[in-house]
Amino acid sequence: MGRLVVAAAVAAWAFPIAALVNSVVPEPYMDEIFHVPQAQQYCRGDFWTWDPMITTPPGLYYVSLAYIASFFPVAWMFRVAKTFDVLCSTVALRSTNVILAMVCAVLFHDLLLCIQPGIGERKATTYAILVALYPVHWFFTFLYYTDVASLAAVLAMYLFCLKKQFWISATFGVFSILFRQTNVIWIIFFAANGAITYVKDLYPKDNVSHENSEPTHQSRKASVRDNKISAQGLRRRRINNPIRKKVIVSESANPYNSLTEEVWDISLKLWNLKCEILIAFAPFVVVMAAFVAFIIWNGGIVLGAKEAHVVSPHFAQFLYFGLVSAAALLPWHFTPNRVLDLFHLSGKNKTSSSLAVLMGLGLSFITVHFFSIAHPYLLADNRHYTFYIWRKVIQVNWMMKYMLIPLYVYSWLSIINILGKSQTRIWVLSFVLSVALVLVPAPLVEFRYYTIPFVILVLHSPAINNGKLLAMGSLYAAVDLSTLVLFLFRPFHWEHEPGTQRFMW
């Protein structure tokens, strides 16, 4: 029932707004001038002509082809279209993303129930509708971009990975790469954490509570010895322990030692069960091998316009994501209670907390000073909101980019702390590294790139009350309507180039 409600809610606003967008902006706009003609080439059966300005693989065009082919027989029967390629209009191609936005919402609903089963059907439905309203994702639902399809493929991959249907998950992983190459990082992330969960299920004795205890050198040696014994006698000693409990780590334990201990322990278990892991996760290995072969054949990760998308050490992008995501999840991160919680938490272990904050501030300063990249597109294209954020906020004066550093550090500390309440340290570490690997190489600041890690962050954040959800949904809706009005009804013109220009994310 929840799935139907989610799909119906998204459809209720998506189809009317899509019709409005198509009536005001019937012609391809911005990157659509590359994607729409390319998809129409495919509709005409020409699979060999390729626009060199397109940077992503043709996954979206294949999906559109299958989608439009599904209703061509009816159109032909009623003489709406005599040939298939007539149906591949800009309107029809854009509607692909409207359908995929509904799919995204349903997948999010199912994933949330899988990750947080105690959340309940009603709240999962509310969350799915809320995420469908997330402004950046919502906006690109109505244009022919790859972002919505990319998110749908990644969410499907994650869902089937959690269900341990690894061949299906890896198949969706292939689809996700066909929409955007950087999704290979999420394949690695899901597969790695799936392997860790798989191994932990085979070591039930490690779930015994260690409350208020810190492992000693002797206990670590004993643990290593026990792990080796467990791996050898695994089939004879399957799960049958009446005292299984969740691990409780003492708050006074050194977090760095605890993280090191966890990484070492997991690494040892993975090594002991390497054959079983390789067999179970062989689909992901095949996908990774194929991707490496593609990079070698292509000479890089980007297909076209390589000179404008050179891999760069854009570490500031990582900081931007933290602040944007924390701001978009305002009730989780920017409330008085949240600030007090972090303050009290730091007071319990002043030495390590102070060290973490100082390191964060120091590294952020280095990042902002040396690794803030201003891509030529960012500086020249005043159609994007990032153009104004860069000029009017970050670069308004020479001090502002440094004044934002405490907000960057606070945002990431809050994100890590919230994720750490429900996930293991190694999961949090792998998520942070995945975000960095996806965003840091990208020289251009695009909020579209943040959508997938943002949605994963929401999936693993604790539930909040309905009042806060309503407030957040209202805020999202207000931003959505504002950006839509600006896009449709506040056009402008460039003196040096003909045509109508519009504001967008």
Side-chain angles (χ1 to χ4, degrees), residues 143-453:
L143 297 177
Y144 196 58
Y145 275 61
T146 61
D147 302 273
V148 178
S150 175
L151 177 62
V154 169
L155 291 180
M157 171 175 58
Y158 194 15
L159 180 62
F160 284 104
C161 187
L162 290 177
K163 291 182 176 182
K164 295 182 171 58
Q165 298 180 29
F166 299 128
W167 278 105
I168 300 177
S169 177
T171 301
F172 278 108
V174 173
F175 291 150
S176 73
I177 293 175
L178 290 176
F179 297 126
R180 181 162 293 158
Q181 298 93 312
T182 53
N183 287 335
V184 69
I185 301 299
W186 300 116
I187 296 177
I188 298 171
F189 173 72
F190 297 145
N193 283 285
I196 290 171
T197 302
Y198 182 85
V199 165
K200 284 183 175 180
D201 289 342
L202 300 179
Y203 281 84
K205 59 181 279 182
D206 291 347
N207 291 329
V208 177
S209 174
H210 297 293
E211 185 173 8
N212 297 326
S213 65
E214 189 172 348
T216 63
H217 177 69
Q218 306 298 343
S219 66
R220 285 196 292 270
K221 291 172 68 176
S223 175
V224 172
R225 188 168 57 249
D226 289 344
N227 288 342
K228 291 181 179 178
I229 295 172
S230 289
Q232 293 168 356
L234 187 61
R235 301 186 185 278
R236 300 192 299 272
R237 299 171 52 199
R238 286 308 297 264
I239 303 171
N240 189 21
N241 191 338
I243 60 170
R244 290 181 64 194
K245 297 180 182 178
K246 193 174 182 179
V247 175
I248 304 174
V249 180
S250 170
E251 291 181 353
S252 62
N254 188 320
Y256 302 105
N257 289 340
S258 298
L259 177 60
T260 304
E261 184 76 21
E262 185 177 349
V263 171
W264 170 256
D265 186 51
I266 292 297
S267 300
L268 183 64
K269 291 174 181 177
L270 289 171
W271 178 253
N272 288 338
L273 294 174
K274 54 186 177 295
C275 293
E276 290 89 339
I277 295 296
L278 283 174
I279 292 171
F281 290 83
F284 297 104
V285 176
V286 172
V287 173
M288 289 305 305
F291 185 76
V292 171
F294 159 76
I295 291 178
I296 295 172
W297 169 79
N298 185 55
I301 193 170
V302 177
L303 282 180
K306 295 181 180 180
E307 67 283 349
H309 296 84
V310 178
V311 174
S312 307
H314 194 185
F315 291 99
Q317 185 102 263
F318 178 77
L319 301 180
Y320 303 153
F321 168 80
L323 180 55
V324 169
S325 298
L329 297 174
L330 199 68
W332 277 275
H333 301 285
F334 287 100
T335 62
N337 288 337
R338 179 64 188 148
V339 175
L340 288 174
D341 285 345
L342 285 178
F343 181 77
H344 289 315
L345 183 65
S346 63
K348 292 179 180 179
N349 198 335
K350 294 182 179 179
T351 303
S352 60
S353 298
S354 299
L355 181 62
V357 171
L358 288 174
M359 284 184 62
L361 291 171
L363 291 174
S364 297
F365 179 85
I366 294 171
T367 295
V368 167
H369 189 76
F370 294 105
F371 301 103
S372 294
I373 296 176
H375 194 281
Y377 290 175
L378 175 66
L379 299 176
D381 196 341
N382 65 343
R383 295 171 293 183
H384 292 286
Y385 297 131
T386 48
F387 172 87
Y388 301 96
I389 293 173
W390 180 262
R391 293 188 64 183
K392 303 296 184 181
V393 180
I394 297 176
Q395 293 292 327
V396 67
N397 58 56
W398 72 271
M399 286 185 60
M400 180 55 71
K401 65 180 182 180
Y402 302 109
M403 292 173 66
L404 291 171
I405 288 175
L407 280 177
Y408 297 145
V409 174
Y410 171 84
S411 299
W412 266 112
L413 288 177
S414 182
I415 289 170
I416 291 170
N417 177 257
I418 281 183
L419 290 176
K421 292 179 179 180
S422 60
Q423 302 299 318
T424 62
R425 290 180 178 87
I426 200 167
W427 190 98
V428 176
L429 175 63
S430 62
F431 174 75
V432 171
L433 290 176
S434 297
V435 172
L437 288 171
V438 168
L439 297 180
V440 169
L444 184 60
V445 179
E446 283 266 22
F447 290 154
R448 295 184 294 124
Y449 301 161
Y450 302 171
T451 301
I452 291 175

Side-chain angles (χ1 to χ4, degrees), residues 109 304 388 464 495:
H109 168 273
Y388 301 96
I464 56 176
E495 294 182 359

